[in-house]
Structure formats: structure tokens, C-alpha cells
Amino acid sequence: NIPTITVLLLALHLLAVESFGCRDERKNLLYTFFFLASTLYYIKYLSTEHKKFYWLCFLCFILSLLSKGQAVTLPLTLLGLSWFIKKQFYVKQGLRNLWPFFLLSLVFGIIAVLSQQKDGYVNHSINTSSIEKISVAAYSYTSYIFKILFPINLSAFYPFPKTVSPLLLFYLVPVLGILGLFAYAVKKQMYALAALIFIFTSNIIFVIQVLPLGGFIYADRYTYIPSICIFVLVAYLVSMLLHSRHKIAAPISCALVLTVCAFMTFNRSKTFRDTHSFLSDILSK
């Protein structure tokens, strides 16, 4: 049940529309394909300890990096997966297996930042003080979670505000709450929950605009892989309801939500039909 519900949510969710509907985002689908293939081979490697799966994992990682620089988060994802599979929060052994991955991530990460600076995509005029960086990061992190759970008022472009309001610091409260939940999960050895929080955060942390790139405060396309973690949690909750006394209401509610998602996703896809529709949607928002 959990894999099926997770896949359906990923396929029908509104935030996935940009990755499929926008021609320039083919790189997002390509990097995701090799990213997920790499995780599958790493799971096989941890289960069998056959070296061929390790090198296939590494090869897919290289192909994912060549598709899009956002793949630099894969080593952290693999580290989180190893916690869940091995049922222990070991770091030393995980780093021993993954040091070539981290090294390659560092190289590609530096290349990505330098190329962004060279092309003028780093905006040094905004988000300059430490307080502003923290405020924007907390707001962006929280907004990604909110948009995944409640995909409303979507736009292809979310510009930075002209001034960063001090009120954005209040978004630190849910962020600290999530970090507290992670610490609790580690203490209670809740490996699945800890791994999901860690993987989500590690895949979102480089796009919460601590270093302002592109002039937008967040983007729907960046949720494509991180959203899987939240969908797994949602699917787990639905699965629990299916095995409870609400076993009749749960599938009906789930089917209703998926149907509404499919309808809204179909309508959202019209935004990316042509340039006029695309720009009109941005201007209207």
C-alpha cells in the first residue's frame, strides 16, 4: 500500500507539473531518473554487499550529476537510507562507503556555484545580513513543506520580496520543531522517521536561498525528489487507517483526494501549454 500511494501522489501532485510541462525542465526528470536508480543500486549493495551494485550506483550518480547539479545531495540521501536499512545510526561506516560520492559532490558543487556566479545568477543585493539569510532560509524551508501538503496559489516564479521582513524569523519555530522531532526520532531509534526527515532536509537545504540564486525565493521544481519523503509519511498514515476501524472511509477519502489532485494537475498543466500561457500565469500571480 505505501509504495502504491506514494507513487500515485508523486504522479498526480500539482508541484510535479512544472517538471513535466516545462521543456527546460527535462533535465529535472533526467537527473531524477538516475538519482533514484542510484538509490536502488545502493539499497541492493547494502543488502547483498556485491561490489557491482556499488559501482552501478556510482555510475548512475555521475550521470545524475551530469544531468543537473542538484544531484550533489545524493550522498546524504544514501547515508539516510543506510540508517533505515541497517537499523542503526552509524556514520563512520557510511562515510567509509560514501567518501567518493561526497568528494564528487564537492567538485560538482563548486563548479555549479562558480558557473552561477559567472552567468550572473547570484544576486548579492538581497538577503545580505545573517539575520536575513536565516529568515529567508526558514521561510523557504517551511514554504516547501506547506506547498507539498497544500499546493495552492502556485506560480512558475516566486520573486524575492523587496525587503526581508523581521517577521520571517517566526518561521524558525516550525523548523526548530522539525529538528526537535528528528532528535526525538534518533533518540527513540525511529529509523524510518529520522531517515525521512534527514533525506528531505538534505535535499532541500541547498535550495532555500542562503546563497540567492536566480532571484526567486523558492521554486516548485525543487520539490520533486524531497516531496517523496512527505508522500511516504502520508502513505504510511493512510496505510494505518486502512488497517484500523476506519478501513472503509480511508480508501474512499484517499480516492477522492487523488481524483481532485488529478483534476487540478490537469488544469495546472495548461499553464505550460505555450509561452503566452506561461507568462500570463506569472503576471497574474
Side-chain angles (χ1 to χ4, degrees), residues 125-199:
S125 64
I126 54 178
N127 192 17
T128 54
S129 70
S130 298
I131 295 297
E132 287 181 343
K133 290 181 186 295
I134 294 171
S135 300
V136 168
Y139 172 75
S140 182
Y141 182 89
T142 307
S143 296
Y144 277 119
I145 297 174
F146 182 83
K147 289 288 185 182
I148 293 170
L149 294 174
F150 307 101
I152 56 177
N153 298 324
L154 300 186
S155 174
F157 184 72
Y158 303 93
F160 264 94
K162 292 182 179 179
T163 58
V164 178
S165 171
L167 293 177
L168 292 185
L169 271 175
F170 285 105
Y171 284 92
L172 274 174
V173 175
V175 173
L176 292 175
I178 293 170
L179 291 177
L181 180 61
F182 172 73
Y184 177 81
V186 171
K187 182 179 179 180
K188 296 296 183 179
Q189 296 185 335
M190 302 167 69
Y191 300 103
L193 180 59
L196 287 171
I197 294 174
F198 180 79
I199 292 170

Side-chain angles (χ1 to χ4, degrees), residues 41-216:
Y41 281 125
Y42 194 70
I43 290 171
K44 285 182 176 291
Y45 167 69
L46 291 178
S47 302
T48 64
E49 296 188 357
H50 289 168
K51 280 293 184 180
K52 68 174 182 179
F53 294 125
Y54 178 87
W55 294 116
L56 285 170
C57 170
F58 192 69
L59 173 62
C60 287
F61 176 44
I62 294 173
L63 295 175
S64 187
L65 284 169
L66 292 173
S67 303
K68 191 175 182 180
Q70 200 175 344
V72 295
T73 60
L74 179 69
L76 294 171
T77 299
L78 298 182
L79 184 62
L81 280 173
S82 66
W83 296 348
F84 173 67
I85 294 170
K86 294 294 187 179
K87 296 292 185 288
Q88 58 183 26
F89 294 111
Y90 66 92
V91 175
K92 186 176 179 180
Q93 186 178 348
L95 293 177
R96 191 185 304 125
N97 288 333
L98 296 172
W99 72 263
F101 292 78
F102 280 105
L103 182 61
L104 204 57
S105 284
L106 179 63
V107 172
F108 272 81
I110 293 172
I111 293 172
V113 172
L114 291 177
S115 65
Q116 292 279 350
Q117 289 180 329
K118 182 180 178 181
D119 294 336
Y121 289 115
V122 180
N123 194 336
H124 294 286
S125 64
I126 54 178
N127 192 17
T128 54
S129 70
S130 298
I131 295 297
E132 287 181 343
K133 290 181 186 295
I134 294 171
S135 300
V136 168
Y139 172 75
S140 182
Y141 182 89
T142 307
S143 296
Y144 277 119
I145 297 174
F146 182 83
K147 289 288 185 182
I148 293 170
L149 294 174
F150 307 101
I152 56 177
N153 298 324
L154 300 186
S155 174
F157 184 72
Y158 303 93
F160 264 94
K162 292 182 179 179
T163 58
V164 178
S165 171
L167 293 177
L168 292 185
L169 271 175
F170 285 105
Y171 284 92
L172 274 174
V173 175
V175 173
L176 292 175
I178 293 170
L179 291 177
L181 180 61
F182 172 73
Y184 177 81
V186 171
K187 182 179 179 180
K188 296 296 183 179
Q189 296 185 335
M190 302 167 69
Y191 300 103
L193 180 59
L196 287 171
I197 294 174
F198 180 79
I199 292 170
F200 173 84
T201 302
S202 63
N203 277 280
I204 215 77
I205 197 168
F206 295 113
V207 292
I208 55 177
Q209 297 298 23
V210 175
L211 180 65
L213 299 174
F216 49 83

